[in-house]
Amino acid sequence: MKKLTKFIDPLPIPPLLKPRWRTREYTYYEVTMKEAKQTLHSELPETTLWGFEGIYPGPTIEVESWEKVYVKWMNRLPTKHFLPIDHTVHGAEKEKPNVRTVVHLHGGRTEPASDGYPEAWFTKDFAKTGPFFQKKIVEYQNGESSRCLWYHDHAIGLTRLNIYAGLAGFYIIRDPNERLLNLPKGEFEIPLMIQDRSVREDGTLVYPKQPQKPVQGNDPSVIPSFFGDMIVVNGKVWPYLEVEPRKYRFRILNAANARFFNLKLDSGQLIYQIGTDSGFLEQPVGMKSILIAPAERFDVIVDFTNLEGKSIVLTNDAPTHYPGGDPVNKETTGIVMQFNVTKVRTSIDTSVIPHYMGSINWLQEYMAHKNRYLELSEEKDKFGRPLFLLDKKTWDEPISENPTIGSTEIWSFVNVNNDDHPIHIHLVQFQLLDRRPFDVEYYKKTGKIVYTGAAISAHPSEKGWKDTIKSPPNHVTRVIIPFSHFTGQYVWHCHMLEHEDYEMMRPYMVLPTPLFLGISSNFFNNEVVSWYKET
């Protein structure tokens, strides 16, 4: 592949999607998944991609808190996939259609029939559907506070390929509290979807048919993790953004298949984080770098005031695999994009970095009704390939996580593998309690946890509501989760997409309880009631 010139393409901004209609009761969208051609870099030919509304990333959907939204996601893709399918992966057997899609609103508090369950897939024009498919038009109640969600494909056995092909976009929820904070807005609020890709000189996307050590007797084969050799932001390779000398708000999403990003500005200035996956922090956190795992979102403010004429590069130094893998290439995967402070200020900047965004009702350990210890491990399959598992169970084994609605649980992720696994739990938001190192070898021999150090409290950047959490190796990561709003079947999984597709995903069931029928039940203590009202 020839060397591409950096910072010659302007950063694209995904357009806002207009609804088909809006009434006082609800808003209705139609979104079509299409194959299209798009230029990822001006020195490359057009690339064949799949996109919502035929663009990559898809258009941004912006809604108000408690605005009821209906969406008809429509598959108009070709019947043959242009990326290599391994039919030994669960859910991608030869008898199933090659091209299947289902859309998950990541971070949404959504009814089961609308959540994008992996086996609720559908083909072109709904000609064939999966066993969990229930409706063509899904419903999002949007009862959450202001936050940045994202929508993406979630078809079982194909998620890694469909997202790599381009099926992802932003979904922003607004509320009155956000407007009162006087944050940068309009053209000064910009979403950044960061991914990695590999592209041939003819413009075609590269996705390996085999791991580094080829698998005998199975071609193509799933790979343990994908890492590209170029960084793409909003669908452009190493773009630039012209900015005014003022404050900007960036909604950063790591939508890579498996790559972590440790982002820094080469000017050495602080990045001010104001929000997490699921809403605002209580107070901003100024940091020289932000470590963002696949599927995490960071809501940040960068101040370009008094930097007229400067060019500032956003860099990355997270190794692959994270945390103990190969270092980045400083000339390629170590560079993300450039900010050029070259635009004339069009107005006085009255926006602020607020000193306080609002209180968070913190959950306490005593509120938990159950503590589950869930192992994150790496095994081997019949071909000798890595097989990543949750609690040593595969997708098809009986459901073992079955909280009741209205309950609060602690889930402790016991990571005996060398990767940091970003764990995502559908339906819910949770809070990080702590992480604690333990003796992995002793645990493997005895099944008993012996801690080797003190508990490490949440980093200030994680002190808020989350839906995806880093679970580093040789540590027990504990999150506290309230289960509310809906009963039914959902999933939890590692959001490294190759892991998720190849068995590191499990169904779980939220069970009904008569106690949930009345908030006044003694089952709820005051803290849970406060949380329920807040969110």
Side-chain angles (χ1 to χ4, degrees):
M1 176 67 192
K2 66 180 180 180
K3 187 176 181 180
L4 299 177
T5 307
K6 297 178 181 65
F7 317 136
I8 63 172
D9 291 300
L11 175 79
I13 309 298
L16 284 181
L17 184 66
K18 294 181 179 180
R20 292 297 297 272
W21 63 76
R22 175 177 279 122
T23 71
R24 290 199 298 181
E25 288 76 31
Y26 69 92
T27 305
Y28 176 70
Y29 292 90
E30 289 185 351
V31 187
T32 303
M33 292 168 264
K34 307 174 187 176
E35 185 170 278
K37 291 187 178 295
Q38 191 168 309
T39 303
L40 300 182
H41 190 282
S42 56
E43 294 175 347
L44 287 173
E46 289 184 324
T47 298
T48 297
L49 297 161
W50 290 355
F52 293 98
E53 293 299 285
I55 58 173
Y56 159 64
T60 298
I61 298 175
E62 189 170 304
V63 304
E64 288 293 315
S65 180
W66 288 110
E67 176 184 0
K68 183 177 286 188
V69 168
Y70 292 95
V71 183
K72 185 176 184 181
W73 303 102
M74 296 178 289
N75 179 344
R76 298 284 167 76
L77 296 166
T79 55
K80 184 177 180 181
H81 216 298
F82 69 92
L83 296 174
I85 299 175
D86 180 354
H87 294 295
T88 67
V89 171
H90 74 267
E93 294 81 7
K94 287 184 178 180
E95 60 269 19
K96 290 188 172 68
N98 270 356
V99 177
R100 296 168 285 111
T101 57
V102 62
V103 179
H104 170 54
L105 179 58
H106 184 116
R109 200 176 294 138
T110 309
E111 62 166 355
S114 300
D115 185 60
Y117 193 80
E119 292 182 318
W121 52 262
F122 52 92
T123 62
K124 187 174 183 178
D125 296 326
F126 302 100
K128 294 182 179 179
T129 58
F132 277 75
F133 180 85
Q134 295 186 54
K135 53 173 71 173
K136 294 181 180 180
I137 299 174
V138 298
E139 176 185 341
Y140 305 127
Q141 294 186 0
N142 298 311
E144 302 90 339
S145 59
S146 174
R147 62 195 62 185
C148 176
L149 311 182
W150 63 302
Y151 61 92
H152 61 80
D153 178 78
H154 210 274
I156 191 165
L158 295 176
T159 300
R160 71 196 186 284
L161 304 179
N162 290 351
I163 292 181
Y164 189 75
L167 293 177
F170 284 95
Y171 190 104
I172 309 292
I173 301 178
R174 305 287 187 189
D175 71 9
N177 177 63
E178 176 189 23
R179 295 185 180 93
L180 292 173
L181 294 175
N182 194 23
L183 303 168
K185 62 183 179 180
E187 63 182 298
F188 310 113
E189 180 188 7
I190 296 174
L192 300 177
M193 181 185 290
I194 305 177
Q195 299 170 295
D196 55 346
R197 294 289 184 268
S198 293
V199 184
R200 297 185 181 91
E201 288 194 17
D202 64 2
T204 57
L205 281 178
V206 176
Y207 190 92
K209 293 180 65 177
Q210 289 283 346
Q212 288 186 339
K213 183 180 179 181
V215 176
Q216 300 298 319
N218 189 58
D219 187 56
S221 169
V222 67
I223 61 176
S225 300
F226 172 83
F227 300 110
D229 55 17
M230 54 186 68
I231 305 302
V232 179
V233 187
N234 291 358
K236 283 292 180 185
V237 177
W238 298 309
Y240 71 88
L241 175 67
E242 285 192 287
V243 297
E244 298 180 17
R246 63 188 299 154
K247 292 181 285 295
Y248 279 73
R249 181 184 184 188
F250 296 104
R251 316 300 287 268
I252 301 177
L253 159 66
N254 181 351
N257 279 39
R259 183 181 292 274
F260 283 60
F261 292 96
N262 193 44
L263 302 174
K264 303 177 183 178
L265 296 167
D266 72 350
S267 58
Q269 68 195 89
L270 293 178
I271 300 170
Y272 294 92
Q273 183 188 353
I274 59 172
T276 60
D277 308 328
S278 301
F280 291 115
L281 300 169
E282 288 188 326
Q283 294 177 305
V285 181
M287 298 179 289
K288 288 291 184 76
S289 65
I290 57 173
L291 177 64
I292 181 168
E296 284 190 306
R297 284 89 65 210
F298 276 59
D299 192 350
V300 305
I301 295 176
V302 177
D303 193 351
F304 298 106
T305 304
N306 299 323
L307 294 173
E308 292 94 333
K310 302 288 186 182
S311 290
I312 300 165
V313 177
L314 183 65
T315 65
N316 163 52
D317 64 4
T320 54
H321 296 72
Y322 189 83
D326 298 327
V328 298
N329 182 321
K330 292 183 179 180
E331 299 299 316
T332 55
T333 53
I335 295 175
V336 179
M337 63 176 292
Q338 185 177 71
F339 300 101
N340 297 327
V341 193
T342 51
K343 294 182 75 174
V344 176
R345 185 161 40 222
T346 55
S347 60
I348 297 173
D349 182 12
T350 59
S351 67
V352 299
I353 301 172
H355 71 278
Y356 183 71
M357 280 80 73
S359 63
I360 293 174
N361 285 319
W362 297 104
L363 304 179
Q364 306 299 324
E365 288 189 48
Y366 73 83
M367 299 163 61
H369 303 88
K370 192 176 184 67
N371 190 348
R372 300 180 189 270
Y373 287 86
L374 302 162
E375 184 179 321
L376 315 180
S377 66
E378 178 183 345
E379 314 295 335
K380 296 293 183 183
D381 70 2
K382 64 181 181 180
F383 297 103
R385 301 177 297 190
L387 181 68
F388 299 96
L389 297 179
L390 300 173
D391 213 29
K392 291 192 179 294
K393 299 182 181 74
T394 59
W395 169 257
D396 288 327
E397 292 186 56
I399 291 175
S400 49
E401 289 70 58
N402 48 7
T404 54
I405 192 166
S407 69
T408 299
E409 295 193 354
I410 293 173
W411 286 21
S412 299
F413 304 121
V414 183
N415 189 355
V416 302
N417 175 240
N418 291 326
D419 286 340
D420 190 329
H421 294 280
I423 299 298
H424 172 50
I425 308 172
H426 286 217
L427 172 66
V428 299
Q429 286 76 43
F430 48 77
Q431 294 171 5
L432 173 63
L433 290 174
D434 54 39
R435 299 181 178 95
R436 194 170 183 183
F438 72 105
D439 188 328
V440 173
E441 293 307 315
Y442 185 79
Y443 174 82
K444 287 181 177 179
K445 292 176 183 177
T446 67
K448 296 178 181 179
I449 295 174
V450 174
Y451 294 108
T452 57
I456 304 165
S457 60
H459 186 273
S461 66
E462 297 177 303
K463 288 186 175 180
W465 290 102
K466 297 279 293 172
D467 59 50
T468 305
I469 196 69
K470 304 177 191 79
S471 303
N474 309 322
H475 284 73
V476 176
T477 300
R478 299 193 308 151
V479 297
I480 185 166
I481 314 167
F483 292 91
S484 66
H485 296 83
F486 296 105
T487 59
Q489 192 159 316
Y490 293 89
V491 297
W492 67 288
H493 56 85
C494 174
H495 220 286
M496 296 170 74
L497 300 182
E498 285 74 24
H499 296 188
E500 169 187 343
D501 265 350
Y502 198 41
E503 298 294 356
M504 205 169 192
M505 178 166 63
R506 289 279 296 152
Y508 83 95
M509 179 75 75
V510 181
L511 301 174
T513 171
L515 295 173
F516 191 70
L517 299 177
I519 288 289
S520 61
S521 166
N522 291 332
F523 183 85
F524 290 99
N525 54 38
N526 291 333
E527 288 86 350
V528 174
V529 172
S530 297
W531 172 84
Y532 188 88
K533 289 179 178 177
E534 173 196 339
T535 57

